Amino acid sequence: REFKEDLPGIESPKASELRQYPVKRQTVISHIRQANVGAIDIDNTHPFSRDFLGKTWTYAHNGQLENYQDVSLVQFTPRGSTDSEYAFCSILECMGKAKGDLSEPARWAQNVSQTCAYFYQKGVFNILLSDGDALFALCSTKLFWITRRAPFGKAHLCDEDVTIDFSQVTTQNDVVTVIATNPLTDNEQWQEMRPGECHLFKNGERIWSTQLDTSENKHVQIA
């Protein structure tokens, strides 16, 4: 499901609705846009979604790109005017041209990382991408992640005096990973991603990683 609104979060009726009636899903991507490129409207609001290869792909980007239209698009046309959506369309097109089976998460993540190496050199390119089954994350400048598992404890938010007891909202079998631009809590150990580092998560577990080698527009497998 997709919820988008081109209003500040503090003024958003949808944000208020989701706060009262939270949606539980295996994978959730949330984005707050600064609107550096493109008008403030629904078409330019993240996350972007497309149906492709029998799946619904969802994507969000933090950063700005230069000369990103050097890559021509044939199969996918951006609905809005952002550099973010243009890169998303390019990633999908490269997947469509790939040889071999991309049904396994690690295989499509490998293909995506190769395309990302190009846009990584065009500016700031922190992204999240999911096929609804696994979640791919690429750090360009700043991304942090944390994995929580039993026994779950309490977490205190950084920007508000609020403490969440995760033992009250999870089961002993749950594994929950959160990826964010900055750590969201101040009493837990968040992992900082290195520039060019990619991770793939499924069911909360990290299942694949790569470090981009942008010197020759390549990537190097590290896990």
Side-chain angles (χ1 to χ4, degrees):
R1 300 183 63 183
E2 182 179 279
F3 302 89
K4 299 172 74 167
E5 199 160 43
D6 54 352
L7 293 172
I10 196 170
E11 301 173 10
S12 166
K14 289 191 186 219
S16 299
E17 181 181 348
L18 288 171
R19 195 171 190 174
Q20 294 189 27
Y21 305 100
V23 177
K24 292 187 177 182
R25 290 291 185 269
Q26 286 292 105
T27 304
V28 177
I29 293 179
S30 178
H31 184 276
I32 299 176
R33 181 173 179 242
Q34 291 186 327
N36 293 313
V37 177
I40 299 176
D41 56 35
I42 287 293
D43 286 340
N44 288 334
T45 302
H46 305 227
F48 302 104
S49 296
R50 294 292 179 97
D51 292 330
F52 184 54
L53 300 177
K55 302 177 180 180
T56 299
W57 299 82
T58 303
Y59 157 100
H61 165 225
N62 166 256
Q64 296 181 39
L65 303 174
E66 297 180 357
N67 302 318
Y68 58 90
Q69 293 179 322
D70 290 351
V71 177
S72 60
L73 299 175
V74 177
Q75 185 175 357
F76 292 93
T77 301
R79 300 182 179 117
S81 56
T82 65
D83 50 353
S84 304
E85 189 185 13
Y86 198 98
F88 178 41
C89 290
S90 180
I91 289 172
L92 295 179
E93 290 210 354
C94 287
M95 291 178 65
K97 298 174 184 176
K99 297 179 180 180
D101 182 15
L102 295 182
S103 60
E104 292 296 322
R107 291 179 180 174
W108 67 251
Q110 184 90 0
N111 178 270
V112 167
S113 68
Q114 293 173 331
T115 307
C116 287
Y118 172 81
F119 287 104
Y120 182 91
Q121 297 177 86
K122 295 291 186 178
V124 178
F125 197 54
N126 302 295
I127 72 165
L128 297 177
L129 174 69
S130 176
D131 65 346
D133 183 44
L135 178 65
F136 174 91
L138 163 64
C139 174
S140 172
T141 55
K142 188 166 57 172
L143 273 183
F144 293 80
W145 62 279
I146 188 171
T147 297
R148 302 186 181 102
R149 63 184 77 240
F152 290 95
K154 296 180 180 181
H156 183 265
L157 295 182
C158 290
D159 54 355
E160 288 192 51
D161 189 15
V162 175
T163 298
I164 303 166
D165 185 354
F166 285 104
S167 67
Q168 301 299 311
V169 292
T170 56
T171 71
Q172 292 296 306
N173 298 322
D174 288 338
V175 179
V176 183
T177 292
V178 178
I179 305 164
T181 304
N182 289 300
L184 304 179
T185 58
D186 55 18
N187 65 331
E188 299 177 291
Q189 185 63 48
W190 289 70
Q191 305 292 321
E192 183 175 5
M193 293 176 63
R194 301 188 305 271
E197 190 173 310
C198 306
H199 294 314
L200 186 70
F201 298 89
K202 183 176 180 179
N203 297 326
E205 300 283 8
R206 185 175 60 162
I207 62 172
W208 177 93
S209 296
T210 273
Q211 177 69 41
L212 299 184
D213 179 4
T214 57
S215 59
E216 297 181 9
N217 200 30
K218 296 179 179 180
H219 67 281
V220 179
Q221 187 78 17
I222 61 174

